[in-house]
Amino acid sequence: MAALQQITVDALKRSESQLAVQWHADLEASGATRNLKPEEIRQQVADFLRLLTSTLEKGGSANITTTEWDDVRHFLEKLSSQRALAGQDSQQTASFIFALKGPLFTQLQNAFADQPLLIAEQVLQMSELLDGLGLHTIRTYQKSREAVIKRQQEELLELSTPVVKLWDGVLALPMIGTLDSQRTQVVMESLLQRIVDTGAEIAIIDITGVPTVDTLVAQHLLKTVTAIRLMGADCIISGVRPQIAQTIVHLGLDLQGVVTKANLADALALALRRLGVTLTKAV
Amino acid sequence: MTVRSSGTQPIRIEQDVVLARQTARKLAQECGMRLIDLTKLVTAVSELARNTMVYGGGGDMDWQIVEDGLRVGLRLTFRDEGPGIPDLKLAMTDGWTSGGGLGLGLTGAKRLVDDFELDTSPGAGTRVTICKWT
Ligand SMILES: Nc1ncnc2c1ncn2[C@@H]1O[C@H](COP(=O)(O)OP(=O)(O)O)[C@@H](O)[C@H]1O
Ligand SMILES: [Mg+2]
């Protein structure tokens, strides 16, 4: 994957304070800050932007699992466990990262107004990076939340899984954890509702965070795909790792022409192609 | 063949299916199983444990880490005292289900492991034993 360009990092750094203000405003508007102290949010917004730019300046790659990203990941882990304890849901927690997209893309658009190709390419890079960080946040939120639930000895997980808008017309549903039947049902229903509400054309169901895909999980997925198609939208399943792909074959599952991708980035690229969005690398 | 360690856990409710998978995953890791084999085994466990709960009316999972010469393997038995399977040939047909499933649990599990044995008789319950070697 092409890296973020230095000029993007520079633009980001230049607009750090504006970004902080806009991002904070968007967070408040989205309801993601409910029950949290305003000074605390402001601090977290500023801290995260500082960490992000300094990591990117050090040449942090697109792969957020590398050591350069340690500080950023730790920051998000702390944040998500704090949110889990504060009783925020995963949607609110994940919004912390996803709400940064809007203001950030606006800044990039302003910075490179005369270079649309560059904007498209850099926005995609940025988007992939933020998706990775957002998913990491949800994952660690889930871990902390599971610890809380375990302590309370609750029997069922009743977490809402966020339905995330990745692009105009493209929704993503990152599924995380055990797809026990009850929760799956709720999650799928909320995805269908969001498709109706937003008129999205393509839904990406990401199963990177699902450790086991057995016939029951597959049945849930197929039902959802069928419903999505009946609504006139398209569906892509991403996060089908090699070991999962092989297991699906051995189980004898027929995915009925569902398009699958190894990761969310590939699925998004395909979705954009289908929508006729062309992304070209700036030379 | 020697048994290195063994244990049993109940499969009564939905949550036990999750726990059965977690136990299998942990044990497979202890055996040094490759990710691909581990994933296949855990998926088979998920299918069989669910059958035990849903069709067998609940039962138990016995596990054993076994050694045979240089090979190490994980052997699991799912047993219940439910109604048994009246027509085994039918049940072992891809796509056949008496419930609302996909009918690929038994046949799929068999393809995912190295050894697969099924004992059942009407009224006397069902016992499925699988083994996966490293
Ligand atoms: N432990 C069991 N006790 C009784 N019947 C069983 C048991 N396991 C499987 N069966 C029967 O075998 C059928 C096929 O099982 P399976 O291949 O797992 O498909 P599914 O679970 O989708 O029905 C079941 O529908 C059920 O009738
Ligand atoms: Mg079954």
Side-chain angles (χ1 to χ4, degrees):
Chain A
M1 186 164 77
L4 274 177
Q5 305 215 353
Q6 186 58 40
I7 40 172
T8 306
V9 180
D10 291 341
L12 197 90
K13 200 167 167 55
R14 266 199 316 278
S15 54
E16 230 181 83
S17 55
Q18 278 159 280
L19 266 177
V21 172
Q22 191 54 48
W23 182 19
H24 190 198
D26 286 7
L27 276 173
E28 285 202 318
S30 74
T33 58
R34 222 174 299 140
N35 305 331
L36 298 173
K37 296 191 203 81
E39 324 85 77
E40 202 180 336
I41 301 283
R42 203 160 295 130
Q43 190 63 47
Q44 287 173 336
V45 159
D47 287 350
F48 179 80
L49 283 176
R50 215 188 40 247
L51 278 175
L52 181 68
T53 41
S54 73
T55 303
L56 288 172
E57 264 183 323
K58 275 183 282 175
S61 65
N63 179 0
I64 62 153
T65 55
T66 55
T67 50
E68 303 134 340
W69 287 97
D70 279 356
D71 290 344
V72 175
R73 273 187 284 111
H74 291 157
F75 176 87
L76 290 174
E77 282 157 20
K78 228 177 94 197
L79 180 124
S80 50
S81 75
Q82 178 225 355
R83 302 276 156 104
L85 288 173
Q88 281 222 319
D89 65 22
S90 55
Q91 173 116 36
Q92 290 168 315
T93 306
S95 298
F96 180 76
I97 292 298
F98 292 117
L100 174 56
K101 282 193 178 183
L104 195 56
F105 297 174
T106 310
Q107 289 299 340
L108 291 181
Q109 250 143 14
N110 293 343
F112 311 125
D114 48 344
Q115 301 171 74
L117 292 184
L118 180 65
I119 293 178
E121 195 237 340
Q122 294 297 290
V123 160
L124 180 61
Q125 299 299 335
M126 222 10 150
S127 187
E128 282 179 6
L129 181 63
L130 290 179
D131 287 344
L133 293 172
L135 286 177
H136 183 68
T137 309
I138 301 170
R139 220 171 284 139
T140 49
Y141 167 89
Q142 185 83 359
K143 273 204 201 118
S144 326
R145 182 79 189 145
E146 265 161 14
V148 172
I149 287 175
K150 212 173 193 172
R151 261 204 312 279
Q152 296 170 339
Q153 299 208 305
E154 284 186 2
E155 285 195 0
L156 278 173
L157 283 172
E158 288 181 327
L159 294 176
S160 66
T161 297
V163 178
V164 180
K165 182 171 167 185
L166 290 185
W167 201 274
D168 232 20
V170 186
L171 290 183
L173 177 75
M175 307 277 272
I176 289 141
T178 309
L179 293 190
D180 58 90
S181 39
Q182 300 216 9
R183 179 163 158 255
T184 314
Q185 196 84 17
V186 174
V187 164
M188 298 299 185
E189 274 160 20
S190 82
L191 176 66
L192 295 179
Q193 191 54 49
R194 281 291 294 271
I195 291 176
V196 176
D197 295 346
T198 60
E201 292 170 61
I202 300 177
I204 301 173
I205 301 179
D206 185 70
I207 57 167
T208 308
V210 179
T212 311
V213 177
D214 62 7
T215 60
L216 186 68
V217 171
Q219 199 176 17
H220 281 303
L221 288 173
L222 288 173
K223 270 190 201 154
T224 309
V225 171
T226 307
I228 290 172
R229 283 177 173 167
L230 283 173
M231 292 165 55
D234 246 347
C235 190
I236 302 171
I237 297 180
S238 69
V240 182
R241 291 90 72 201
Q243 67 274 21
I244 299 288
Q246 277 208 38
T247 304
I248 288 177
V249 171
H250 284 272
L251 277 175
L253 287 168
D254 174 8
L255 290 185
Q256 298 163 13
V258 182
V259 177
T260 58
K261 289 281 166 193
N263 56 54
L264 192 53
D266 289 351
L268 178 60
L270 174 64
L272 292 180
R273 264 206 307 283
R274 286 199 185 158
L275 290 176
V277 178
T278 339
L279 293 171
T280 325
K281 282 204 178 77
V283 209
Chain B
M1 191 155 71
T2 55
V3 176
R4 205 197 273 174
S5 55
S6 64
T8 290
Q9 71 184 57
I11 301 172
R12 306 277 139 78
I13 54 169
E14 178 88 38
Q15 195 73 1
D16 294 334
V17 177
V18 179
L19 294 177
R21 282 202 298 264
Q22 282 171 359
T23 300
R25 184 177 297 273
K26 201 185 87 222
L27 293 169
Q29 272 161 354
E30 262 172 57
C31 295
M33 209 174 278
R34 294 182 312 152
L35 177 63
I36 175 77
D37 290 326
L38 178 150
T39 308
K40 289 179 182 174
L41 179 67
V42 170
T43 308
V45 165
S46 189
E47 296 296 344
L48 299 174
R50 191 171 301 280
N51 282 353
T52 300
M53 182 195 80
V54 175
Y55 301 113
D60 291 290
M61 173 179 88
D62 303 320
W63 59 264
Q64 292 183 325
I65 294 182
V66 289
E67 274 171 45
D68 182 14
L70 288 176
R71 297 196 301 177
V72 180
L74 181 54
R75 190 158 73 176
L76 299 140
T77 299
F78 299 82
R79 40 184 181 82
D80 64 65
E81 284 161 18
I85 304 176
D87 188 340
L88 189 55
K89 200 159 160 254
L90 197 57
M92 287 302 291
T93 306
D94 273 340
W96 188 83
T97 177
S98 69
L102 291 178
L104 291 168
L106 287 176
T107 48
K110 184 173 181 183
R111 286 188 288 264
L112 288 169
V113 298
D114 297 317
D115 309 326
F116 180 98
E117 261 173 65
L118 198 163
D119 275 318
T120 185
S121 54
T126 301
R127 170 189 287 260
V128 184
T129 300
I130 56 173
C131 187
K132 187 108 188 150
W133 298 98
T134 53

